[in-house]
Amino acid sequence: FSSSRGSITDQELLELSEQLYGVDHNKARPSDIAINPQHLAGPDETGDKRDRSPQPLYKYVNEELFSKPTYASFIKLLDNYQRATGREEEVTAEELREQERFLEEVMKTELMKELFVFLQGKGRYGSEQEFVQDLKEMWFSLYSRGDGEPDSSGFEHVFSGEVKKGKVSGFHNWIRFYLLEKQGALNYFSHNFNGPWDTYPDVLGLQFSWDGFYKEVGSAFIGCSPEFEFGLYSLCFLARPGRA
């Protein structure tokens, strides 16, 4: 997007992200999820690793959501990763098929089609196939986060979560959080931010422990579909690469 003709303005980002929000037909309804945020942590409390919320974060999730094609194909990807950085990821043929399947399912949604049309209009992609190829590269190709080993990917970091230097790194997905909390592998401690929204997606900043590894401040959309996060983060990555 280096040419001015293909650049994306802040206003366009605002409008398009609202548009994507509007066509997130697979998001949770208010009756699908009940959360129990409990303790609101102050700035001096987020780092002290104290569990100030005796109850789980999720009181209820309507798991029928997980049978929707984008959710089902997303959940299949979550066990494909070794969370420790510095250990090379091995990608099997089955895992590659799972990646293809997830991309196929998200591309059937109105949300991802709208994102593609916008990017095509900006001269970024000539075809949907080209866009999907870029998404595959962007999210699933491996790079090093540790000792030079190809041990990480965008998908693993953002959605599945990693452990680096004894701390949780990434891990910004509500479905992953719910499934691990249900298994007893994750302990919710507190939240330091709760968005003003009364429908989904909501936004929480939260503290938790994953098998004894701590996340001091993690943030997550609660109740959005996998394609909403996937589409929105892809847009951000393309429109404002790097730290921006």
Side-chain angles (χ1 to χ4, degrees):
F1 297 115
S2 52
S3 73
S4 57
R5 189 177 52 79
S7 69
I8 296 177
T9 65
D10 286 353
Q11 186 58 30
E12 284 174 315
L13 275 179
L14 182 68
E15 285 168 10
L16 180 60
S17 54
E18 288 290 346
Q19 208 176 325
L20 298 180
Y21 172 86
V23 294
D24 185 10
H25 306 306
N26 286 324
K27 68 173 175 249
R29 298 176 310 248
S31 60
D32 288 329
I33 299 177
I35 57 171
N36 182 16
Q38 299 161 84
H39 184 76
L40 178 62
D44 54 336
E45 292 179 326
T46 58
D48 66 10
K49 304 186 184 179
R50 276 185 56 197
D51 182 1
R52 293 180 165 88
S53 302
Q55 303 298 317
L57 175 61
Y58 286 91
K59 284 200 283 197
Y60 167 75
V61 170
N62 174 9
E63 292 195 11
E64 282 179 23
L65 280 171
F66 300 161
S67 60
K68 292 177 183 243
T70 57
Y71 284 80
S73 57
F74 171 81
I75 288 167
K76 276 208 159 53
L77 293 170
L78 293 173
D79 65 357
N80 290 355
Y81 301 100
Q82 297 205 41
R83 67 183 176 191
T85 56
R87 289 172 60 186
E88 185 173 354
E89 290 289 344
E90 286 178 36
V91 184
T92 66
E94 186 186 357
E95 288 171 358
L96 286 172
R97 281 195 297 275
E98 288 173 355
Q99 291 172 13
E100 297 277 353
R101 180 71 199 276
F102 174 68
L103 289 167
E104 272 171 30
E105 293 301 344
V106 294
M107 286 310 298
K108 289 177 189 170
T109 65
E110 186 181 348
L111 189 150
M112 288 300 285
K113 288 191 186 301
E114 291 219 357
L115 177 59
F116 167 67
V117 166
F118 173 81
L119 293 168
Q120 188 181 36
K122 288 286 178 185
R124 180 66 194 237
Y125 300 109
S127 67
E128 201 171 289
Q129 195 180 353
E130 207 183 321
F131 179 44
V132 171
Q133 194 50 48
D134 215 12
L135 288 171
K136 194 185 297 182
E137 188 75 15
M138 199 189 302
W139 284 101
F140 297 110
S141 62
L142 297 172
Y143 57 85
S144 174
R145 227 173 232 286
D147 307 320
E149 298 286 353
D151 61 356
S152 186
S153 68
F155 188 92
E156 178 185 7
H157 180 78
V158 171
F159 293 108
S160 186
E162 301 175 284
V163 171
K164 184 176 182 180
K165 295 180 180 164
K167 289 183 178 174
V168 176
S169 177
F171 196 135
H172 301 285
N173 180 255
W174 75 271
I175 300 165
R176 174 74 162 157
F177 191 106
Y178 166 74
L179 293 171
L180 286 172
E181 187 177 61
K182 187 181 166 188
Q183 287 167 24
L186 189 147
N187 181 10
Y188 169 72
F189 280 19
S190 55
H191 68 290
N192 62 300
F193 174 81
N194 189 351
W197 305 280
D198 52 10
T199 59
Y200 295 111
D202 195 355
V203 176
L204 273 187
L206 35 118
Q207 289 68 52
F208 61 90
S209 169
W210 178 19
D211 283 339
F213 299 103
Y214 189 60
K215 181 77 176 180
E216 189 170 325
V217 179
S219 58
F221 283 108
I222 312 279
C224 64
S225 69
E227 60 267 28
F228 177 74
E229 285 188 276
F230 191 74
L232 192 63
Y233 300 158
S234 299
L235 171 64
C236 292
F237 182 82
L238 292 165
R240 300 286 184 271
R243 298 296 293 178

